[in-house]
Amino acid sequence: MSTSNDITRRTALGLGIVATASAASGVLGPGHGRPHLAASVTKEFTADTTTLLKNPLNGWALYGSSTPAADYWTQYDDVPLPDGTTITVSDHASVLYMRVSWTILEPSEGVYGWDTNAAFAGILAEARRRGLRLAFRVVVDSRDKASNFTPDWVRAAGASGYETQTGSKTVWSPYPDDPVFQAKYAAFVAAFAAQYDDPETTDFIDGYGLGKWGEGHSMLYRDAANREPVFDWIIDLYQRHFTTVPLALNYHRMIGGGKDWGAPDPESERMLDGAYEKGYVLRHDAFGMTTYYSDWERSMAAKWRYRRPIIMEGGWVTAQHDVTQDPRGYETVADVRQGEFDDSVEAHVNMMDFRNGETLSWFAAETAPLTQRFDAEGGYRLYPSKVVAPDALRAGGTAAITHEWTNLGWGFLPTNLPVWKHKYKAALALLGADGTPVRVVVDAASEPSDWLRGTPTAYSYTPSVAGVARGSYRWGVAIVDTTRSDTPAIALAAQGTTTNGWLVVGDVTVS
């Protein structure tokens, strides 16, 4: 049985522990095949603080558009950096995130934009070609929009709603407590999940999307008493259909309420807590806006720190807003980026944003150091700081292994999310001459969500290596996805040789 201990390097990795376990497990020593204290492979890995790692729920989200400009991708290719080099922004990001209208996604009932809309399908295909996972917020509210964000066929089916003006345009939005709207939207979410509830292609989904801009505030109902029933309905709807991909929800102080801002609504925290307890992750769309990201928001982030990850979005649109009105006294775009970064550090966010109109400002001379700092310290950045394993095994025997893990980042790998079901685990493998694993031994007791910055975590376990033929192998270490045949799944922040996703530890002989 595996055992795990959060203990210091001096005690957890003492060779006395490993040697004693080796003697008990039948590890071969150098003499005549008699089991006794064996020599060990001891590997202390050096941290890699610069390589960009594209991991789930981690890193930068590049914002896309369902109606992309012709130069959408090229504007982000070969971006000059202050040191004279260039960068392709999509190489720097983990996710393509889009806010998209229900109308784009289902222009006619049962006809879906991912099948019929060339522009939408095209930007997603190019994102996948560039190694980006996908993330979405579906918006149904048309206020401040130039067209209807809920399809016209929903209104024609009898859904009740209201009209508003966006400039010279009259647009229509449904009441979220209308039964026709709810029935049609529930059918859409089922189809949407059938297409995108796949963690190999989709990073997360904003599982709410109601209210102005889909942020969950400024809500209008047929009956205001339906605020909480509507909240429960949509949270449960998304969770019922998205069973493998994480769902996100704004920690807005007016969640589901009729106002856009004011003193924190007394029901918001309780309602939000209920969703986060069910497994939703936190996000907020006003980082860096001192008035809108204030004491209540900071308290929510602190309450859920290391229990659920946090996704950041900045609030100021620097080309449109007067940022000098911010109480922090911003004067330049670089000041705004600094404010967003400072809020992100405090909240221990896992993800930051390259949103439309703001992306290139993260690579200017004044802000590039912040971008580099997030790459090196933001989210989670994991590596096996030390591994001790036998260098000789008896065929059909066991192996006494100790492994220590360090997180360089201020966030965490949220294996504790209900949809992930603790699927990410530390593992060692015996690698053949071509680097293919012939035996993978997962430490079921390892829990990456416990690995926090400044606290290396060590484990010891003694797995069987039965079924491995006699011969020469190499030990490899990885964080694997136990739902995908124990394949390496998390890019590690360690220097060293990697083969087939396994970080090489050292040689081992089976005899």
Side-chain angles (χ1 to χ4, degrees), residues 14-35:
L15 290 179
I17 296 174
V18 177
T20 301
S22 299
S25 62
V27 175
L28 278 179
H32 307 299
R34 292 183 295 107

Side-chain angles (χ1 to χ4, degrees), residues 172-256:
W172 179 86
S173 302
Y175 290 117
D177 54 342
D178 177 81
V180 175
F181 161 76
Q182 289 194 357
K184 300 299 186 183
Y185 193 67
F188 161 74
V189 171
F192 185 48
Q195 181 71 16
Y196 293 111
D197 185 29
D198 178 0
E200 295 305 301
T201 59
T202 308
D203 202 66
F204 68 90
I205 298 289
D206 280 352
Y208 192 74
L210 302 179
K212 203 169 185 179
W213 311 315
E215 293 182 354
H217 60 76
S218 305
M219 299 276 283
L220 296 175
Y221 299 93
R222 292 186 359 164
D223 182 348
N226 287 328
R227 172 192 178 190
E228 190 162 357
V230 166
F231 181 87
D232 293 339
W233 164 76
I234 199 160
I235 295 299
D236 292 343
L237 172 65
Y238 270 95
Q239 283 202 308
R240 186 162 63 253
H241 293 290
F242 283 91
T243 60
T244 64
V245 168
L247 297 166
L249 173 64
N250 279 17
Y251 49 108
H252 197 288
R253 60 173 60 196
M254 301 292 184
I255 195 71

Side-chain angles (χ1 to χ4, degrees), residues 430-433 438 468-475 507-511:
L430 288 165
L431 305 174
V438 298
V468 178
R470 291 175 173 83
S472 297
Y473 302 92
R474 288 182 295 172
W475 285 113
D507 296 331
V508 56
T509 300
V510 178
S511 58

Side-chain angles (χ1 to χ4, degrees), residues 141-165:
D141 197 303
S142 305
R143 284 174 291 177
D144 279 356
K145 309 299 182 185
S147 61
N148 288 337
F149 267 45
T150 289
D152 291 340
W153 60 263
V154 177
R155 186 180 189 180
S160 61
Y162 53 93
E163 292 182 338
T164 55
Q165 290 294 124

Side-chain angles (χ1 to χ4, degrees), residues 7 19 22 27 70 94 104 128 169 195 204 207 294 302 367 415 427 502:
I7 51 182
S22 299
V27 175
S94 299
I104 290 287
R128 295 296 298 146
K169 300 284 187 178
Q195 181 71 16
F204 68 90
S294 192
T367 54
T415 53
W502 295 92

Side-chain angles (χ1 to χ4, degrees), residues 85-336:
T85 61
T86 61
I87 191 171
T88 297
V89 174
S90 59
D91 290 344
H92 212 84
S94 299
V95 171
L96 180 77
Y97 173 79
M98 288 202 295
R99 290 188 179 92
V100 58
S101 74
W102 181 11
T103 299
I104 290 287
L105 294 178
E106 194 178 12
S108 301
E109 189 166 13
V111 176
Y112 302 108
W114 51 83
D115 295 324
T116 61
N117 187 307
F120 177 72
I123 192 172
L124 299 188
E126 182 64 16
R128 295 296 298 146
R129 188 185 72 80
R130 291 169 177 250
L132 301 176
R133 290 180 302 280
L134 309 175
F136 302 98
R137 174 186 295 173
V138 181
V139 180
V140 302
D141 197 303
S142 305
R143 284 174 291 177
D144 279 356
K145 309 299 182 185
S147 61
N148 288 337
F149 267 45
T150 289
D152 291 340
W153 60 263
V154 177
R155 186 180 189 180
S160 61
Y162 53 93
E163 292 182 338
T164 55
Q165 290 294 124
T166 305
S168 62
K169 300 284 187 178
T170 300
V171 293
W172 179 86
S173 302
Y175 290 117
D177 54 342
D178 177 81
V180 175
F181 161 76
Q182 289 194 357
K184 300 299 186 183
Y185 193 67
F188 161 74
V189 171
F192 185 48
Q195 181 71 16
Y196 293 111
D197 185 29
D198 178 0
E200 295 305 301
T201 59
T202 308
D203 202 66
F204 68 90
I205 298 289
D206 280 352
Y208 192 74
L210 302 179
K212 203 169 185 179
W213 311 315
E215 293 182 354
H217 60 76
S218 305
M219 299 276 283
L220 296 175
Y221 299 93
R222 292 186 359 164
D223 182 348
N226 287 328
R227 172 192 178 190
E228 190 162 357
V230 166
F231 181 87
D232 293 339
W233 164 76
I234 199 160
I235 295 299
D236 292 343
L237 172 65
Y238 270 95
Q239 283 202 308
R240 186 162 63 253
H241 293 290
F242 283 91
T243 60
T244 64
V245 168
L247 297 166
L249 173 64
N250 279 17
Y251 49 108
H252 197 288
R253 60 173 60 196
M254 301 292 184
I255 195 71
K259 297 180 180 179
D260 62 349
W261 190 247
D265 182 279
E267 301 302 319
S268 289
E269 185 167 352
R270 176 184 58 80
M271 291 167 62
L272 289 167
D273 283 347
Y276 301 141
E277 289 285 358
K278 290 178 178 180
Y280 268 67
V281 306
L282 285 74
R283 72 167 282 139
H284 202 282
D285 293 359
F287 274 72
M289 299 184 86
T290 307
T291 299
Y292 294 95
Y293 195 84
S294 192
D295 292 342
W296 186 90
E297 290 73 22
R298 297 175 195 279
S299 176
M300 284 292 290
K303 176 197 288 192
W304 286 97
R305 184 172 303 153
Y306 303 136
R307 298 167 63 192
R308 296 289 183 260
I310 298 178
I311 299 169
M312 166 270 192
E313 180 179 298
W316 289 112
V317 180
T318 57
Q320 300 176 19
H321 296 158
D322 177 9
V323 301
T324 63
Q325 66 184 282
D326 191 284
R328 271 181 264 195
Y330 299 146
E331 296 181 358
T332 66
V333 172
D335 292 340
V336 177

